[in-house]
Amino acid sequence: MRPRKLHYQEISRLAPLLKAGKLSPVELTEALLARVEALDPRLHAYARVTADEARAAARVAEARIRRGDYLGPLHGIPVAVKDLFWTQGVVTAAGTTVHGDFVPAEDSTVVRRLREAGAIILGKLQMTEGAFATHHPAIAPPVNPWGADHWTGASSSGSGVATAAGLCCASLGTDTGGSIRFPCAANGLTGLKPTWGRVSRHGSFELAAFLDHVGPIARSAADARILFNAIAGHDPLDPTSDSPQPRGRVRAVALKGLIVGVDPYWNSNGTDDATQRVLENVLAMLRSLGADVREVRFPDAWHIAGQWEAQCGVQTAVAHADTYPARAADYGPALSRLIEVGRSLDGTAYQRLLLSAAAFTGRVNALLESIDLLLVPVQPIAAPTHGQLGALAADPEANQRLIQFTAPFNISGHPALSLPGGHTPEGLPIGFQFVARKGGEQTLLGAGVALQRVTDWHRAHPAC
């Protein structure tokens, strides 16, 4: 039976309908473009909509599917991508005014792989300036469809808002300190930050080369797996990309017997009551499904989270060397400040950061050898308001606390899956995350699929 609200359906449900000819890629694309036209003037999720290109791609997809040339579960599925991924012939500004007229001559590797899988690109999604903390003052920021007063979740803000509001079926984002996982927690979505290097970064604007991760934002773990399988793997154009052997229990379809580690002290370090209740509910569900929950002690995440900004700042200063300080006046205050942090750090201080990061990574590797999954919050504050975030920005220690559950895994490079785990008393989404060994994406995604088969947290939608 055809679903009524196409814009909120999972890819895993739409794909069989498209394959069987019960749903047309043209019809699906037009439905989503109409929704974008109706809602995006208020939500500001898109930096630009490529409607003509999307309609042309939908017609091609429809013709191929009709003649039996079906490419797989993304064929005919309308998606959108964060505006730091190059798209041939379309402005790619990365949330900046500095690059406001940059038109790439080629697609980024991940965009090319989406197209090769038959996906239809609806447009480019808005983001914070250069993928750092805040939006450029000249750009209207995306609005959380669950509540306009609440955070949209850092740099992949448009990706989170568009996916949650049904303005695309799924999206791509990047995560340097939490910017796939934060938008998923803020918008009730599922998102994967893969192992560093599992997904090519060729053709994407850089924030911090050794911290940047490319991954999917979707309605479910099943959908995230579909996108990840399409974009992952070695790319000759990105020498840092690789295809490591999967680690752990590949494509787990049940949680029974999986060893889940929990550090009660770390997980409760400054987390609010609503977040604690979500973790308790998830633990109860895991135990009921047969998971082997064990108490562990995580390495010093507070210390490593405190080093993230300096490490990011140095790498960002390198990434922006062609335009900063030469065009410093075109930069917003947050990104300028980060670059200045990096420019002020000397080589010996940066080497100490790298040594500390390597030691931390080794300790995390050792811990994850003894468990299959680690359960942690995404953030200590459930559904923060813009006012709460403004106070955090003025308090370095509070900001460090905000990223203590996300940034450590950018530094270590381990994969993490953000999942919706319920709602605040006011009805706003709350997320949690699983972390696995490097190369353990399929274990993460399989566990997410298993959990979402018996829960409905991921099926909630904003009232829009």
Side-chain angles (χ1 to χ4, degrees):
M1 187 173 70
R2 282 169 55 94
R4 289 178 56 208
K5 293 185 177 181
L6 293 175
H7 53 273
Y8 280 146
Q9 299 304 313
E10 296 174 33
I11 295 170
S12 55
R13 186 174 183 192
L14 293 170
L17 298 174
L18 290 164
K19 181 180 181 181
K22 297 178 180 179
L23 176 65
S24 159
V26 172
E27 178 188 359
L28 180 57
T29 298
E30 289 293 350
L32 287 170
L33 286 173
R35 191 164 171 84
V36 171
E37 184 177 3
L39 295 182
D40 203 54
R42 173 171 63 88
L43 296 177
H44 307 297
Y46 278 82
R48 56 200 56 82
V49 179
T50 53
D52 291 344
E53 294 91 333
R55 290 186 173 103
R59 290 192 293 270
V60 170
E62 182 173 80
R64 291 190 70 169
I65 293 171
R66 280 181 175 173
R67 66 175 181 260
D69 187 14
Y70 182 67
L71 298 175
L74 281 176
H75 202 173
I77 298 291
V79 301
V81 299
K82 188 173 180 176
D83 195 34
L84 54 62
F85 297 115
W86 296 1
T87 40
Q88 184 177 12
V90 178
V91 170
T92 300
T96 72
T97 58
V98 171
H99 300 295
D101 58 358
F102 173 65
V103 179
E106 62 174 320
D107 284 337
S108 64
T109 294
V110 290
V111 169
R112 174 175 56 79
R113 287 177 173 174
L114 287 177
R115 295 194 204 275
E116 289 171 350
I120 295 162
I121 309 296
L122 295 178
K124 313 296 293 296
L125 297 168
Q126 197 54 268
M127 55 181 286
T128 59
E129 185 184 15
F132 185 47
T134 62
H135 297 85
H136 191 282
I139 293 173
V143 175
N144 190 323
W146 291 87
D149 293 334
H150 291 266
W151 193 32
T152 51
S155 81
S156 301
S157 53
S159 299
V161 169
T163 307
L167 308 186
C168 59
C169 292
S171 58
L172 291 187
T174 59
D175 191 312
T176 305
S179 292
I180 286 173
R181 292 160 289 165
F182 286 142
C184 286
N187 290 283
L189 300 169
T190 300
L192 175 69
K193 181 197 80 66
T195 307
W196 189 83
R198 285 304 310 272
V199 179
S200 171
R201 292 176 295 112
H202 172 72
S204 60
F205 276 108
E206 196 174 284
L207 175 61
F210 292 130
L211 303 174
D212 293 346
H213 298 64
V214 175
I217 290 177
R219 305 196 201 293
S220 67
D223 285 5
R225 183 160 66 185
I226 289 169
L227 268 79
F228 173 72
N229 289 342
I231 64 175
H234 176 65
D235 173 20
L237 297 174
D238 177 2
T240 68
S241 67
D242 61 12
S243 300
Q245 290 299 310
R247 301 290 312 281
R249 307 182 189 198
V250 177
R251 292 183 179 273
V253 294
L255 287 159
K256 186 176 182 179
L258 281 182
I259 302 170
V260 180
V262 181
D263 183 337
Y265 174 77
W266 184 36
N267 284 1
S268 62
N269 185 20
T271 52
D272 61 16
D273 291 342
T275 302
Q276 285 295 313
R277 281 194 296 273
V278 162
L279 295 177
E280 289 165 5
N281 290 340
V282 171
L283 279 173
M285 182 64 68
L286 291 172
R287 289 190 176 101
S288 73
L289 295 170
D292 179 2
V293 177
R294 300 181 185 179
E295 188 169 318
V296 298
R297 183 65 183 268
F298 193 74
D300 186 359
W302 176 253
H303 176 73
I304 207 71
Q307 297 181 348
W308 177 88
E309 183 173 281
Q311 189 175 145
C312 184
V314 172
Q315 296 178 39
T316 304
V318 172
H320 287 261
D322 288 343
T323 52
Y324 192 99
R327 296 182 60 185
D330 295 320
Y331 280 70
L335 187 56
S336 293
R337 186 191 61 78
L338 178 68
I339 293 172
E340 290 296 346
V341 167
R343 285 166 58 86
S344 68
L345 203 69
D346 66 31
T348 55
Y350 186 59
Q351 173 66 359
R352 290 189 188 98
L353 292 177
L354 296 181
L355 292 172
S356 179
F360 172 78
T361 300
R363 294 185 185 103
V364 178
N365 285 338
L367 171 63
L368 290 171
E369 284 299 320
S370 64
I371 59 177
D372 294 307
L373 301 171
L374 179 71
L375 173 67
V376 281
V378 172
Q379 60 205 36
I381 306 168
T385 64
H386 295 303
Q388 286 175 304
L389 288 172
L392 288 178
D395 182 350
E397 183 173 320
N399 191 55
Q400 182 178 343
R401 193 171 301 283
L402 178 68
I403 65 171
Q404 69 167 315
F405 299 114
T406 54
F409 302 111
N410 294 89
I411 289 174
S412 70
H414 289 88
L417 180 70
S418 177
L419 298 157
H423 298 83
T424 67
E426 297 75 29
L428 293 152
I430 306 175
F432 67 95
Q433 59 180 329
F434 286 136
V435 181
R437 303 164 195 162
K438 292 185 178 181
E441 286 84 2
Q442 299 298 351
T443 297
L444 284 175
L445 292 163
V449 169
L451 188 63
Q452 290 180 343
R453 284 178 178 171
V454 296
T455 61
D456 59 3
W457 297 318
H458 65 293
R459 293 195 176 96
H461 306 298
C464 66

